[in-house]
Amino acid sequence: VSVSARTTTHTPALLRHRSWQQAAAWLRTQQQPDGGFGYAGLTAAMAYDIALAGENPAGPAWTVNGHSLLAALEAATPAYVDGHDAGQIARVLLAVAQAGADTHHFAGRDLVALLEATYQPATGLYDRYNNFRNALAMKALVTAGRPLPAEAVAGLLAQQQANGGWGWQVGGSGADVDSTGLIMEAVAGAGVPAEHPALQKAIAFLRREQKAD
């Protein structure tokens, strides 16, 4: 796998920070002999987070027994994405795009095409049941540099509940901070400005949900 990890402006300071060094050292003790972290979804999430922090998931620091973290994800990808689940494809695409690998040729799959094929123009959704997966799909495509249909953003915004939050399920389930936070990230990444009424309502929801500690 040819890869060059993407970085952000805060990355050098983050990588020097003692807390990151301690966390990375612990994570390495959890890496499996095949280079992964157990099941494919967790392996993808770890590859994404490590690349986001500015480290290379295909590099020697994340290689065990000759198997890198990204190579482990590549090996697990066919069985994980061939069910055409938008959320699962998105998790892999996020990791591959953030790591700077080829999103159109990974494990013999065009991850971008697979994810875009799940889009449903009638609803603006990538997954008809799950807001969380829709947010993952949007975030993954933005990370991969792909344009989003305006209806995709509108479709996710339309799922906002009266209290300002979003729930896990499309058209149901109570609002929760996990879904709300990811959806805020997805729509903001798609270009929705912070002053948009939906994001302002979501911020108010999160403030109400914040605990006393």
Side-chain angles (χ1 to χ4, degrees):
V1 178
S2 175
V3 60
S4 57
R6 296 184 180 184
T7 60
T8 59
T9 54
H10 69 273
T11 291
L14 172 63
L15 294 182
R16 289 193 301 268
H17 199 281
R18 183 168 176 265
S19 64
W20 162 253
Q21 296 298 330
Q22 290 177 321
W26 180 81
L27 286 173
R28 288 189 184 98
T29 70
Q30 304 303 303
Q31 196 171 5
Q32 303 299 303
D34 65 355
F37 281 86
Y39 65 93
L42 183 56
T43 296
M46 293 309 308
Y48 169 72
D49 289 340
I50 286 164
L52 187 66
E55 292 208 359
N56 186 350
W62 296 98
T63 296
V64 179
N65 298 327
H67 304 290
S68 74
L69 172 53
L70 202 65
L73 178 59
E74 186 174 23
T77 288
Y80 191 61
V81 304
D82 284 355
H84 304 287
D85 180 289
Q88 292 179 188
I89 300 168
R91 285 193 183 279
V92 177
L93 178 56
L94 264 173
V96 174
Q98 187 64 43
D102 189 346
T103 58
H104 295 283
H105 301 90
F106 189 79
R109 306 295 188 275
D110 184 336
L111 298 172
V112 171
L114 282 176
L115 186 53
E116 289 182 334
T118 67
Y119 179 65
Q120 303 157 32
T123 60
L125 301 176
Y126 295 87
D127 186 293
R128 62 185 295 187
Y129 301 111
N130 193 296
N131 288 324
F132 202 88
R133 292 174 186 163
N134 280 302
L136 278 176
M138 288 173 52
K139 183 178 174 182
L141 290 168
V142 168
T143 303
R146 297 292 296 172
L148 294 175
E151 293 80 7
V153 180
L156 198 51
L157 289 176
Q159 297 298 317
Q160 189 175 31
Q161 299 184 13
N163 62 6
W166 280 268
W168 179 270
Q169 295 178 325
V170 171
S173 76
D176 63 84
V177 297
D178 194 22
S179 299
T180 299
L182 179 64
I183 291 167
M184 289 173 69
E185 186 177 355
V187 298
V192 176
E195 60 271 17
H196 191 284
L199 287 180
Q200 289 300 308
K201 286 178 63 178
I203 290 169
F205 167 78
L206 292 179
R207 286 200 180 102
R208 292 194 300 272
E209 292 297 310
Q210 191 173 12
K211 305 303 182 185
D213 63 356

